[in-house]
C-alpha cells in the first residue's frame, strides 16, 4: 500500500490494477475510491486508476464451492469448532493434488471462503465502480502452493507487502486441481458476462484449457461468418441492400459493439461471456492465436505483454514471434509489477519501445495505437 502514494506522480496516465485474493479486494476498492473516476469520453479517462476484482488461480484453493457443491451450514468463522475444522480439512484434501495428509500444512492454510459470498462481494464492487474489470482470473497448471510459514520465514517477512503471497517461501508439492480451478474461473466469467465487464485472464501451461473454457461460455452465440461467395451473390441480387445492414450482419455487430450512453457509460445486454478479454502476459506460442482470433468468436480478445514475463532470455524469441502475429489493434502492454512508481513507469516504457521495434512502428504512432487499444479494451469499442 505504501506505493499507492506514488501513483499521482507517475508518467503513466492511467493504471489498471488487479486483485487476486481475499486480502487485496478491499485495497483495490480503496485505491479506486481515491484515484478512480466514473467519467470517460472519446478524449480519455478522467481517473488514474481502473480497478479490477477477481480471484487468481494461485489462490483458488481458498474458495469452497457452495454454489454447485454441497452447502456448509456450520460456524465457519469459529476455527476451533470441530465441524468447521473437519470441513476445512475435507475441502483442502479434495481440491489439492496430491491430497494432503499433513495436518500441520492444512491447519496453516486460511479457512476457506464461501464462493457465494465472494461472488456477491465482487458483484457489489463491480456495481460500485462502473468501469471496473473482472480479474485477474484464469488457469495455471504449473503453480504449486508455498509451504507453511516457518519461524525463519516470519522473521524475514516484508510487512509492506499485502499479506497472503509467497514471499520467498519454499514450494510445497501441492497444486490446485484443474477441475477446481475451472469452476472458480467459469463462475467469474459468468459474472463478467452478466455485468458485461472485460476480464484479465491468467494462463500458464493452460492455453488450450483456457480457450476451451472461454469457448464454452459463448457456445450458441458465435458470430455468423458470411463467406465472400455469399457476399458477392447478395451484392449482385436485384434490390440487394448494403451488406452492412443485413439481418445477419446486424446480429454480428450486436455481438461485437458496445453502446455508450450520453453519460459515457456502457449499456449492453447481459450475455454468458465477457465482452472483451485480455490474455495477460501471454506466454503461449503463435499457433493458438488462430482460435482466439477466429471470426466466429463473439468477444474481442486482446494480448498483453510485459518485459518482466515475456522478455526474459528464454521467452524473448517466442514473444517476438507472437507480437508480430497479433493484429495491431489487439495488442496491450503491462508492467506485471505489484509496486507503483518509477520502476513501473520504466517497465511500461521498455515494453512500449520493444513493441514499437517489433511492429516497426514510429514511436508516436505506436504509443497512440497502444493507448487506443487500452481504451477500447477497458471502456468498449464505441468509446475508442
Amino acid at each position: 500500500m505504501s506505493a499507492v502514494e506514488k501513483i499521482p506522480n507517475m508518467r503513466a496516465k492511467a493504471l489498471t490494477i488487479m486483485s487476486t485474493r481475499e486480502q487485496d479486494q478491499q485495497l483495490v476498492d480503496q485505491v479506486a475510491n481515491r484515484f478512480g473516476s466514473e467519467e470517460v469520453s472519446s478524449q480519455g479517462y478522467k481517473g488514474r486508476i481502473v480497478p479490477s476484482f477477481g480471484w487468481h488461480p494461485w489462490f483458488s484453493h481458498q474458495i469452497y464451492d457452495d454454489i454447485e457443491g454441497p452447502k456448509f451450514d456450520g460456524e465457519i468463522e469459529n476455527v476451533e469448532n470441530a465441524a468447521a475444522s473437519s470441513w476445512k480439512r475435507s475441502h483442502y484434501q479434495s481440491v489439492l493434488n496430491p491430497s494432503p495428509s499433513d495436518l500441520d500444512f492444512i491447519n496453516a492454510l486460511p479457512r476457506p471462503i464461501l464462493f457465494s459470498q465472494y461472488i456477491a462481494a465482487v458483484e457489489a464492487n463491480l456495481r460500485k465502480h462502473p468501469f471496473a474489470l473482472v480479474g485477474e482470473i484464469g488457469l495455471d497448471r504449473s503453480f504449486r502452493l508455498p509451504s507453511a510459514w516457518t519461524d525463519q520465514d516470519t522473521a524475514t517477512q516484508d510487512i509492506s507487502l499485502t499479506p497472503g503471497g509467497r514471499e520467498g517461501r519454499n514450494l510445497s508439492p501441492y497444486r490446485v486441481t484443474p477441475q477446481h480451478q475451472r469452476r472458480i474461473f467459469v463462475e467469474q466469467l459468468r459474472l463478467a458476462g452478466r455485468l458485461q465487464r472485460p476480464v484479465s485472464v491468467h494462463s500458464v501451461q493452460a492455453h488450450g484449457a483456457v480457450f476451451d473454457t472461454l469457448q464454452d461460455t459463448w457456445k450458441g452465440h458465435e458470430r455468423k461468418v458470411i463467406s465472400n461467395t455469399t457476399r458477392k451473390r447478395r451484392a449482385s441480387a436485384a434490390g440487394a441492400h448494403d451488406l452492412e445492414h443485413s439481418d445477419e450482419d446486424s446480429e454480428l455487430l450486436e455481438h461485437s459493439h458496445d453502446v455508450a450512453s450520453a453519460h459515457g457509460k456502457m449499456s449492453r445486454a447481459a450475455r454468458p461471456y465477457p465482452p472483451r478479454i485480455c490474455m495477460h502476459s501471454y506466454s503461449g506460442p503463435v499457433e493458438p492465436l488462430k482460435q482466439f482470433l477466429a471470426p466466429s468468436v463473439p468477444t474481442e480478445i486482446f494480448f498483453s505483454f510485459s518485459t518482466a514475463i515475456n522478455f526474459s532470455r528464454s521467452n524473448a524469441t517466442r514473444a517476438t514471434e507472437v507480437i508480430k502475429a497479433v493484429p495491431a489493434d489487439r495488442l496491450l502492454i503491462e508492467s506485471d509489477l505489484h509496486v507503483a512508481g518509477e520502476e513501473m513507469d520504466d517497465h511500461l516504457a521498455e515494453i512500449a519501445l520493444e513493441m514499437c521495434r517489433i511492429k516497426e512502428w514510429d514511436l508516436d504512432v505506436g504509443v497512440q495505437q497502444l493507448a487506443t487499444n487500452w481504451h477500447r479494451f477497458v471502456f468498449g469499442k464505441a468509446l475508442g
Side-chain angles (χ1 to χ4, degrees):
M1 278 295 283
S2 59
V4 169
E5 302 304 325
K6 299 178 181 179
I7 291 174
N9 297 321
M10 288 183 62
R11 300 192 302 275
K13 291 184 178 180
L15 301 172
T16 312
I17 57 173
M18 303 285 153
S19 55
T20 59
R21 56 192 185 274
E22 181 182 21
Q23 291 91 339
D24 58 15
Q25 306 289 324
Q26 186 177 4
L27 297 181
V28 171
D29 173 49
Q30 291 172 355
V31 175
N33 288 338
R34 289 183 60 187
F35 300 112
S37 174
E38 296 186 13
E39 296 183 42
V40 66
S41 69
S42 58
Q43 282 70 49
Y45 178 53
K46 304 302 182 182
R48 298 298 300 271
I49 290 296
V50 175
S52 188
F53 299 96
W55 203 283
H56 197 285
W58 289 358
F59 307 98
S60 56
H61 59 289
Q62 297 174 6
I63 291 183
Y64 176 79
D65 183 13
D66 64 327
I67 295 177
E68 290 195 353
K71 304 294 185 287
F72 177 74
D73 299 323
E75 298 179 14
I76 64 171
E77 300 291 342
N78 183 3
V79 294
E80 302 300 327
N81 179 278
S85 178
S86 175
W87 167 71
K88 174 183 174 180
R89 181 172 64 253
S90 175
H91 166 72
Y92 283 121
Q93 288 178 334
S94 68
V95 302
L96 296 179
N97 185 34
S99 180
S101 58
D102 183 349
L103 295 185
D104 289 336
F105 175 80
I106 294 175
N107 290 335
L109 295 172
R111 65 170 178 79
I113 304 294
L114 295 182
F115 203 10
S116 60
Q117 293 180 1
Y118 161 71
I119 289 293
V122 170
E123 180 167 353
N125 275 328
L126 292 172
R127 293 189 183 280
K128 177 182 178 182
H129 301 283
F131 296 124
L133 285 63
V134 174
E136 181 177 339
I137 64 177
L139 303 175
D140 192 318
R141 289 182 172 171
S142 174
F143 177 76
R144 289 180 288 149
L145 272 64
S147 299
W149 286 95
T150 65
D151 291 341
Q152 182 178 358
D153 293 331
T154 303
T156 59
Q157 186 176 7
D158 186 348
I159 61 173
S160 69
L161 299 178
T162 304
R166 178 185 173 187
E167 294 190 46
R169 286 179 287 165
N170 293 328
L171 294 178
S172 76
Y174 306 112
R175 291 182 168 89
V176 185
T177 64
Q179 297 88 346
H180 186 70
Q181 287 191 47
R182 191 178 190 277
R183 266 296 300 139
I184 307 307
F185 184 31
V186 165
E187 202 65 40
Q188 294 181 97
L189 288 171
R190 289 174 179 169
L191 176 61
R194 187 165 73 250
L195 299 185
Q196 283 299 281
R197 301 300 179 89
V199 301
S200 175
V201 172
H202 172 100
S203 176
V204 174
Q205 296 183 13
H207 303 300
V210 163
F211 180 79
D212 290 343
T213 304
L214 295 173
Q215 188 177 45
D216 285 346
T217 68
W218 64 62
K219 187 174 182 180
H221 296 263
E222 292 84 353
R223 289 179 178 174
K224 296 181 179 180
V225 181
I226 303 173
S227 68
N228 289 334
T229 300
T230 302
R231 288 179 182 274
K232 292 177 181 178
R233 185 169 63 248
R234 289 183 180 180
S236 61
H241 294 288
D242 186 88
L243 281 175
E244 291 184 355
H245 298 89
S246 72
D247 290 342
E248 287 188 306
D249 279 354
S250 294
E251 183 173 354
L252 188 156
L253 290 171
E254 180 188 359
H255 279 281
S256 61
H257 285 221
D258 292 309
V259 179
S261 72
H263 300 290
K265 297 181 181 179
M266 273 74 72
S267 173
R268 196 169 192 255
R271 296 187 184 278
Y273 58 89
R276 296 172 300 283
I277 296 167
C278 172
M279 299 298 295
H280 131 79
S281 283
Y282 178 73
S283 59
V286 170
E287 289 72 23
L289 297 179
K290 295 178 181 179
Q291 290 180 307
F292 288 108
L293 297 171
S296 60
V297 172
T299 182
E300 285 191 293
I301 300 182
F302 296 77
F303 299 84
S304 184
F305 298 87
S306 65
T307 53
I309 299 298
N310 299 112
F311 283 90
S312 65
R313 290 182 180 178
S314 59
N315 294 334
T317 300
R318 170 180 284 188
T320 298
E321 294 305 310
V322 172
I323 290 170
K324 287 180 179 178
V326 175
D329 64 350
R330 298 296 184 91
L331 287 167
L332 296 170
I333 61 172
E334 60 177 289
S335 70
D336 208 6
L337 299 181
H338 64 273
V339 179
E342 186 176 357
E343 183 181 4
M344 183 175 288
D345 270 333
D346 290 344
H347 274 253
L348 290 171
E350 288 173 9
I351 188 60
L353 288 169
E354 191 67 32
M355 193 81 73
C356 290
R357 182 189 66 80
I358 294 170
K359 299 298 278 187
E360 299 182 348
W361 291 334
D362 289 339
L363 182 59
D364 56 341
V365 173
V367 169
Q368 182 58 55
Q369 178 69 66
L370 294 170
T372 299
N373 293 353
W374 178 83
H375 199 274
R376 194 174 78 254
F377 166 65
V378 173
F379 304 112
K381 210 164 188 178
L383 299 176

